[in-house]
Amino acid sequence: MIRPSFFYDTLKGFGIDFYAGVPDSLLKNLCAYITDHADERHNIIAANEGGAMGLAVGHYLATGQIPVVFMQNSGEGNIINPLASLTDPDVYNIPVLLVIGWRGMPGVHDEPQHVKQGKITTGLLNIMGIDYTVLSKEEDKAEEQIKRAVDYMQRTNECYAIVIEKDTFDTYTLQNVEKNDLTLSREEAIQIVAAAMGENDVCVSTTGMISRELFEYRTATNQGHERDFLTVGSMGHASQIALGIALAQPDRRVWCFDGDGATIMHMGGMAIVASKQPKNYIHAVFNNGAHDSVGGQPTVGLHIDISAIAKAVGYKKSITICNKDELERELSIINSRFSTFDGPFLLEIQVKKGNRNNLGRPTISPIENKEALIKILQGVKKKL
Ligand SMILES: Cc1ncc(C[n+]2csc(CCOP(=O)(O)OP(=O)(O)O)c2C)c(N)n1
């Protein structure tokens, strides 16, 4: 295995010390090391991977130094446009070192949302004309690969990708953990909100543990899963899926269970929700100030005022809640006779980081999930 310190120091030896990206569980130990060792101007957790490319290009323009953009392979979709129209030799010809966690690598079992992306990870690089290597798990070989990557980028001014397999980086535990006094857990908050949903309501939940915790709650309480669309991939788009449903079915309440990382990733979606004024739309953002599902790296979630943003873009009502009593009170107001269809609402629920160690994963497939929801929404039995 490679020590995160080795990777970081080797790049530093080549004058590479600027990092921007969105974290990934395969890069968890590396990201933790960078967080503890780079200052805030040299390590930026970006809103999304495309934004990280922008930051990297800005750094290159200002310093002439090659920057690093790190991401899960799911983030490749978000960098296609900057790769094609910003860094490409046909446009500005700017070198960025891409460090890409390879979830769903063929031959390695992974969750459904990673299977397709895993198959096309290197193919996408090929089609974009990005040279790449899969990082060796032996430090001396890895050092050679990094040297070749840097030579290539210096010679051509083109981007280069280092693809990271599972279990490449050795353990490193983040030291710099931001403390706060939040007491409500995300899982408990999810259970309270899910319990407040009416029987005809549906929910679109976001990528990661939020959907997993919602799934387990339904199982534990002997409810079906058919009213929940568990957006296992496509991070940041749950609010728009929920909006699509809410506009098509104005007589049904639609909830979006979002994370702070996901909300921030495509925050513009909030403005579109508000612009349509869907009275039946309730946006619950479980804000733990972290990308908890992939290792707990910080987001700016607890440093910005999400409910003020919702208000500013035109949600009818928005509120920030940080404890159980307030949450229950607010939900009973939402459910009261007069305000049931008085959205769009945004509930920012501030929760502490962390999850149960034995948290499971959905036991139904995405196709089964989709078909069951369609049956609820369209009232017809679709073939599974
Ligand atoms: C485009 C994209 N980038 C990165 C990921 C990896 N990823 C999965 S869940 C997650 C963190 C989600 O954070 P947040 O929405 O705050 O929810 P939390 O896990 O903290 O509950 C990330 C980065 C992804 N699935 N898709």
Side-chain angles (χ1 to χ4, degrees), residues 2 65 89 100 113 119 137 142-145 176 189 292 312 329 331 366:
I2 311 247
Q65 283 164 353
I100 304 175
Q113 65 273 25
K119 284 186 204 159
K137 296 179 184 175
E143 189 173 6
E144 266 309 303
Q145 289 175 296
N176 262 328
D292 216 24
R329 200 169 48 243
L331 288 165

Side-chain angles (χ1 to χ4, degrees), residues 58-71:
H59 183 79
Y60 177 81
L61 293 174
T63 64
Q65 283 164 353
I66 295 171
V68 180
V69 167
F70 57 87
M71 72 193 83

Side-chain angles (χ1 to χ4, degrees), residues 22-25 48-49 71-78 103 113-114 186 206-210 213 232-236 258-263 265-266 286-297 299 353:
V22 177
D24 171 33
S25 50
N48 58 60
E49 294 81 356
M71 72 193 83
Q72 181 177 99
N73 53 351
S74 324
E76 276 183 315
N78 284 336
R103 296 292 305 263
Q113 65 273 25
H114 296 296
R186 180 188 53 214
T206 186
T207 316
M209 288 179 183
I210 288 175
E213 287 170 346
V232 291
S234 213
M235 180 174 164
D258 228 342
D260 49 296
T263 302
M265 182 167 269
H266 294 299
F286 299 91
N287 182 4
N288 52 13
H291 286 285
D292 216 24
S293 301
V294 290
Q297 302 83 352
T299 70
K353 269 174 72 169

